[in-house]
Amino acid sequence: MKRLASAALAAVLAAAPAVAQEVTLRGVSAFAGGTTFSRPFEAFVAHVNEIGKGVVQIDYVGGPEAVPPFELGNAVSGGVVDIANNTSAFYTNLVPTGDALHLATNTAQDQRANGCMDKIDAIHQQQMNVKFLARTGDNVAFHLYLTKPIDSPDLSGLTIRTTPVYRAMFEALGATLVRTAPGEVYTALERGAIDGYGWPLQGVMDLGWDEQTKYRVDPGFYQVDVNVLVNLDRWEGLPEAARAVLQEAAEWIEARNADNIAINAEEAEKQAGAGIEVITFSPEDEARWLTTAQEAGWAGVAAVDAGIAADLKSCLTE
Ligand code: 173
């Protein structure tokens, strides 16, 4: 049997061309090209194209102008896009427990070491038909930005732009919510359709929102997850050498997540320079702000699937 199998393999190898065909993957980002949450992916693409010469290349097709952010999950799931840079909040239609990812208090490296990344990958494979390749955004918290001041965590009477990241928390604090893609935030602010928006500490100036923003509420909460996802059929069809290049590049880009600590400090300074004032609360109100974030966040995931919520909580917050 064994001899037969190796004879068959030898025949296949003999028939194969001396140099295996280079594979090209079509890549799309949920965030505009050159902006904060596309930059790690763009570095990842450049790295793959460097170390993967002759094996695998990524053709970076573009950002939200190529595929609308809330459609990108479907596009990579169905194989219209081979590789996507996307945040779980933009594909909750496919992975509704993905909201757990931004509730992480540890790093992508921790999640690889403790098996959490394998669990997250399995959920993505089963529910979305994608390989969960890499996670960026560690160390970057989310904040509430406002056009008018508040003096407590009570958000009643305020209309706030949201995504699934902030929904459970802001709803628990009484806000009226409207979901928009990042590309619609500027116009919504300019028209006065919203009194504020949820967004991470980084990237507020990318699309000029600082012009329309007066306040940032501190402290931040949660942790950004912007993930590299590969269509599963495409992934499984890749030569082993191509998968190895992508996996190496995944850990390479995750190592750069540590840079976010320094970038956070620069961003906070730039926001101050742009006239964005920081709102803080009394110690009791700050505790309420952060406790509501955690409790409402996990309750939201548990309402979707209590088993997955408990399982992921244990490895994302250890
Ligand atoms: O606010 C958002 O659009 C959002 O959910 C998000 C998630 C990760 C990075 C940046 C924004």
Side-chain angles (χ1 to χ4, degrees):
M1 238 356 243
K2 220 176 199 164
R3 192 142 15 103
L4 205 82
S6 48
L9 181 64
V12 169
L13 290 177
V19 177
Q21 198 73 40
E22 185 182 82
V23 185
T24 299
L25 303 175
R26 287 165 46 86
V28 174
S29 177
F31 298 93
T35 64
T36 300
F37 296 104
S38 281
R39 279 201 287 271
F41 181 66
E42 288 160 4
F44 168 89
V45 169
H47 189 65
V48 167
N49 290 348
E50 177 65 31
I51 67 170
K53 283 199 175 80
V55 179
V56 59
Q57 297 286 287
I58 298 172
D59 174 17
Y60 181 31
V61 178
E65 75 292 349
V67 181
F70 297 125
E71 288 300 319
L72 184 56
N74 290 332
V76 68
S77 174
V80 172
V81 165
D82 297 319
I83 187 164
N85 180 55
N86 204 356
T87 182
S88 56
F90 294 175
Y91 57 82
T92 44
N93 59 318
L94 297 168
V95 183
T97 54
D99 280 333
L101 270 63
H102 62 254
L103 304 177
T105 55
N106 56 11
T107 65
Q109 288 78 16
D110 295 331
Q111 293 153 30
R112 283 193 188 277
N114 72 11
C116 210
M117 197 79 90
D118 289 336
K119 290 179 181 177
I120 291 165
D121 182 26
I123 293 167
H124 279 73
Q125 293 201 19
Q126 283 156 19
Q127 300 187 351
M128 193 178 176
N129 192 46
V130 294
K131 167 77 185 167
F132 188 94
L133 190 66
R135 171 173 178 154
T136 70
D138 284 356
N139 310 305
V140 185
F142 293 91
H143 288 258
L144 171 63
Y145 297 86
L146 293 165
T147 60
K148 46 178 87 152
I150 54 172
D151 56 17
S152 84
D154 180 2
L155 304 181
S156 55
L158 295 173
T159 300
I160 306 293
R161 174 270 174 185
T162 193
T163 68
V165 169
Y166 329 90
R167 182 172 296 139
M169 173 186 178
F170 290 174
E171 220 166 54
L173 295 170
T176 300
L177 299 175
V178 274
R179 188 190 83 157
T180 83
E184 291 149 30
V185 172
Y186 188 93
T187 310
L189 284 167
E190 199 179 29
R191 291 193 183 143
I194 53 174
D195 303 309
Y197 56 94
W199 190 259
L201 180 58
Q202 299 182 16
V204 166
M205 340 267 288
D206 282 345
L207 302 174
W209 302 344
D210 50 304
E211 290 167 24
Q212 305 286 338
T213 304
K214 292 222 171 66
Y215 306 97
R216 182 184 76 241
V217 177
D218 277 7
F221 45 88
Y222 305 153
Q223 181 165 240
V224 166
D225 69 285
V226 177
N227 311 310
V228 180
L229 309 174
V230 186
N231 174 268
L232 190 58
D233 304 296
R234 198 81 166 99
W235 173 257
E236 286 176 343
L238 286 177
E240 184 50 43
R243 284 203 292 260
V245 164
L246 293 170
Q247 239 140 4
E248 187 189 320
E251 297 197 30
W252 177 86
I253 199 63
E254 285 173 355
R256 296 181 42 154
N257 289 344
D259 298 349
N260 281 326
I261 295 165
I263 300 173
N264 286 339
E266 289 165 18
E267 286 276 321
E269 209 163 299
K270 277 194 234 161
Q271 286 184 17
I276 298 176
E277 288 174 41
V278 174
I279 293 175
T280 55
F281 299 133
S282 68
E284 302 75 46
D285 278 346
E286 179 173 315
R288 183 180 163 210
W289 180 246
L290 293 175
T291 306
T292 305
Q294 285 307 311
E295 289 178 354
W298 281 113
V301 183
V304 176
D305 189 317
I308 290 182
D311 198 21
L312 292 184
K313 189 174 186 180
S314 70
C315 64
L316 288 172
T317 62
E318 74 169 9

